[in-house]
């Protein structure tokens, strides 16, 4: 490392958080495609060189910014699947957090067109969320709240999938009341499904 590189101050602490917040602001405003390092630098009142000393690319910066606002990483363990799901999906970083959902909408395009970003996003952002959701359902199964024949790989992401469909395709931002209704009317009944036979029980129509 050259003496000049060694002398460069690191971007960390409060300054790093300011830049990450500025990145989220720009991302929510213009989307991933139109976000540039210049735009983030201007929003953060920093030089582009300062950004590149910490982040090698736009995708690396955006990933760090998204991770910085994803909310608590610990999973709730209230002793009730219903309450665990409400806590996970409502509040800061959840699907009722309009800022978090706006940021998520902005990176969906990037997931489809930028393989480097997609890999990092799925690994660092989606991966931990999937694992946390799975853990909640596994604990519920251990408590007897979920039938043994229910496929957790299908049911665990179902609530988030329904909410994202309503939000991004139907244009209906979720509320806590809607989340509760989906849990009560769809998720919890599905958790108690029992399949007695793989064959349809059709009656003789003759």
């Amino acid at each position: 490392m050259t003496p000049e590189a060694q002398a460069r101050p690191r971007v960390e602490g409060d300054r790093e958080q300011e830049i990450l917040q500025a990145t989220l602001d720009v991302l929510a405003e213009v989307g991933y495609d139109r976000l540039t390092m210049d735009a983030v630098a201007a929003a953060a009142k920093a030089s582009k060189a300062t950004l590149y000393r910490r982040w090698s690319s736009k995708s690396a910066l955006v990933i760090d910014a998204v991770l910085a606002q994803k909310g608590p990483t610990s999973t709730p363990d209230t002793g009730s699947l219903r309450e665990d799901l409400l806590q996970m999906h409502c509040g800061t970083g959840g699907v009722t957090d309009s800022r978090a959902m706006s940021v998520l909408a902005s990176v969906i395009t990037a997931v489809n067109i930028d393989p480097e970003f997609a890999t990092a996003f799925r690994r660092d952002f989606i991966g931990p969320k999937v694992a946390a959701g799975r853990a909640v359902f596994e604990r519920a199964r251990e408590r007897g709240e979920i039938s043994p024949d229910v496929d957790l790989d299908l049911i665990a992401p179902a609530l988030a999938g329904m909410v994202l469909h309503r939000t991004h395709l139907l244009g209906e931002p979720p509320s806590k009341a809607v989340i509760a209704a989906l849990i009560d009317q769809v998720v919890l009944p599905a958790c108690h499904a029992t399949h007695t036979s793989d064959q349809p029980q059709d009656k003789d129509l003759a």
Side-chain angles (χ1 to χ4, degrees):
M1 182 179 294
T2 65
E4 291 80 9
Q6 291 176 337
R8 291 173 180 171
R10 284 183 55 81
V11 179
E12 55 187 1
D14 291 343
R15 189 59 179 135
E16 179 180 29
Q17 292 305 309
E18 290 172 359
I19 292 173
L20 294 177
Q21 287 303 310
T23 303
L24 293 175
D25 290 340
V26 175
L27 184 63
E29 181 179 352
V30 305
Y32 183 85
D33 288 349
R34 295 173 59 194
L35 182 145
T36 64
M37 298 294 263
D38 283 324
V40 173
K45 296 181 173 56
S47 69
K48 189 164 66 171
T50 297
L51 269 58
Y52 277 113
R53 283 200 291 270
R54 174 65 177 81
W55 296 278
S56 61
S57 65
K58 177 173 83 169
S59 63
L61 172 60
V62 171
I63 284 291
D64 273 4
V66 172
L67 291 175
Q69 61 90 57
K70 68 178 181 179
T73 56
S74 59
T75 57
D77 188 6
T78 65
S80 160
L81 177 59
R82 184 181 192 275
E83 290 306 313
D84 285 350
L85 292 176
L86 284 172
Q87 288 193 18
M88 285 188 69
H89 291 82
C90 302
T92 303
V95 294
T96 59
D97 183 337
S98 59
R99 178 175 174 81
M101 293 297 281
S102 176
V103 169
L104 180 60
S106 298
V107 301
I108 287 177
T109 300
V111 170
N112 292 321
I113 66 174
D114 186 333
E116 177 188 355
F117 180 88
T119 297
F121 182 73
R122 290 178 178 130
R123 180 191 65 231
D124 299 333
F125 184 82
I126 298 298
K129 284 185 173 292
V130 169
R134 174 82 187 205
V136 164
F137 278 85
E138 287 176 346
R139 286 197 294 266
R141 170 171 280 173
E142 292 171 359
R143 293 192 299 265
E145 293 186 79
I146 301 178
S147 298
D149 61 333
V150 171
D151 188 341
L152 296 187
D153 289 333
L154 292 178
I155 197 65
L159 180 56
M162 289 186 288
V163 172
L164 293 177
H165 173 83
R166 294 175 65 90
T167 302
H168 297 301
L169 296 184
L170 303 182
E172 300 175 3
S175 64
K176 185 173 181 178
V178 168
I179 300 299
L182 290 172
I183 292 171
D184 293 338
Q185 297 179 36
V186 181
V187 178
L188 294 183
C191 287
H192 298 294
T194 300
H195 307 291
T196 57
S197 172
D198 291 333
Q199 300 299 321
Q201 302 296 311
D202 293 334
K203 294 183 178 180
D204 188 358
L205 300 180

